[in-house]
Amino acid sequence: MLEEATMGHPPPGAARTWIILLLLLGAWAGLSRAQGSKVLSGQECYPHSQPWQTALFQGERLICGGVLVGAKWVLTAAHCKKSKYTVRLGDHSLESKDEPEQEIAVARSIQHPCYNSSNPEDHNHDLMLIELRHRASLGSKVKPINLAPQCAYVGQKCTISGWGTVTSPRENFPDTLNCATVEIFSQKKCKKAYPGKITEGMVCAGNSNGADTCQGDSGGPLVCDEVLQGITSWGSDPCGRPDRPGVYTNLCRYTEWVEKTMGNRD
């Protein structure tokens, strides 16, 4: 969710420092705004309290979050698409093996047909369905979440979660899943925060403490009253500004596409 930074040339004799900075920049770029969007002002989730939360990995590298919506289906942000990646389910600590943890290869990645992948600044229709190679083993710690039957209302309390950075602009990625409580903003307030950038396919959420999703959280869930209302998409740089809330794909506008694409939910 953070903007790309630019760096000047190093002073003479600073080659080693420059190499280190390049390595750090490379690690940062792997989770840039175009690929990932922390939970700021949050805290560690109670383990497995978000059993629908998934993580998208390229090898050992976290690239995005995701949400289990069927035994073989995961919803995430369209900008998280990669040529090859896996989905982890049942995770809490990324460093240690959790008892319910499963890692499943991706069979198909289906971006919303109206998503403009050629323009990273166009966040409209930022939604993608991932079909897993095989069904997940479901239980109390790995289970799908229901899609919202109607849109969220202004002021509604919701939960955001992810393994994204917990500080901004300096990055600090946690080992365990973090959660925070936010509330739904009116479209008027949302449009005032981001003039000319908000559509009906987006919904804003935040709070006065600056609770927010951030880099590494993209594709993760916005859950209101135990149903999925949004997918983490984009927001301000730096993250966590109370006047500039996180922006989520407004899932109630896409329920028909999701259900039609999934077909028979097995």
Side-chain angles (χ1 to χ4, degrees):
M1 255 173 56
L2 303 181
E3 300 283 0
E4 293 262 343
T6 56
M7 302 181 71
H9 295 288
R16 184 179 176 189
T17 301
W18 180 239
I19 290 170
I20 293 171
L21 287 172
L22 281 174
L23 289 172
L24 289 172
L25 181 60
W28 180 90
L31 285 167
S32 68
R33 181 171 191 158
Q35 296 183 17
S37 108
K38 145 219 148 147
V39 174
L40 301 175
S41 299
Q43 59 187 4
E44 181 179 347
C45 307
Y46 186 81
H48 309 295
S49 62
Q50 313 299 311
W52 40 78
Q53 175 83 46
T54 72
L56 276 53
F57 274 82
Q58 273 193 319
E60 295 300 310
R61 188 171 70 116
L62 173 72
I63 56 171
C64 276
V67 193
L68 191 68
V69 291
K72 287 182 67 177
W73 294 96
V74 170
L75 265 178
T76 187
H79 74 257
C80 293
K81 186 177 182 179
K82 297 291 181 185
S83 57
K84 186 178 181 181
Y85 47 109
T86 59
V87 176
R88 280 195 204 172
L89 307 92
D91 228 344
H92 179 67
S93 164
L94 297 180
E95 295 297 321
S96 60
K97 181 79 172 179
D98 294 287
E99 174 265 325
E101 185 181 315
Q102 304 166 50
E103 189 158 6
I104 304 176
V106 173
R108 288 191 297 161
S109 300
I110 310 166
Q111 291 175 318
H112 190 276
C114 296
Y115 176 70
N116 184 3
S117 58
S118 64
N119 182 6
E121 293 302 311
D122 184 352
H123 307 291
N124 207 17
H125 313 296
D126 190 11
L127 192 64
M128 179 169 69
L129 267 169
I130 290 175
E131 184 179 9
L132 304 176
R133 283 276 175 88
H134 60 79
R135 292 169 59 92
S137 177
L138 303 180
S140 61
K141 297 178 180 179
V142 176
K143 65 179 181 181
I145 189 170
N146 291 325
L147 305 182
Q150 58 192 27
C151 295
Y153 58 85
V154 176
Q156 187 171 7
K157 302 291 186 183
C158 306
T159 300
I160 52 175
S161 53
W163 288 275
T165 179
V166 294
T167 56
S168 178
R170 184 179 62 85
E171 293 169 4
N172 176 20
F173 291 93
D175 169 48
T176 54
L177 187 67
N178 273 243
C179 289
T181 300
V182 293
E183 65 178 49
I184 300 296
F185 280 34
S186 69
Q187 284 295 88
K188 182 180 178 180
K189 191 173 181 179
C190 190
K191 289 177 179 179
K192 184 178 180 181
Y194 302 104
K197 294 185 177 182
I198 302 300
T199 70
E200 291 305 307
M202 303 174 188
V203 62
C204 287
N207 71 18
S208 58
N209 295 325
D212 193 10
T213 45
C214 197
Q215 191 176 354
D217 287 325
S218 275
L222 173 72
V223 177
C224 312
D225 295 327
E226 299 298 309
V227 297
L228 185 64
Q229 286 283 8
I231 295 292
T232 303
S233 181
W234 63 283
S236 68
D237 173 24
C239 313
R241 291 176 53 180
D243 60 329
R244 301 195 75 189
V247 186
Y248 303 80
T249 302
N250 195 7
L251 200 56
C252 66
R253 305 291 183 184
Y254 298 96
T255 304
E256 184 178 346
W257 175 78
V258 171
E259 292 179 342
K260 183 178 178 180
T261 304
M262 287 169 51
N264 234 347
R265 203 166 170 174
D266 57 358

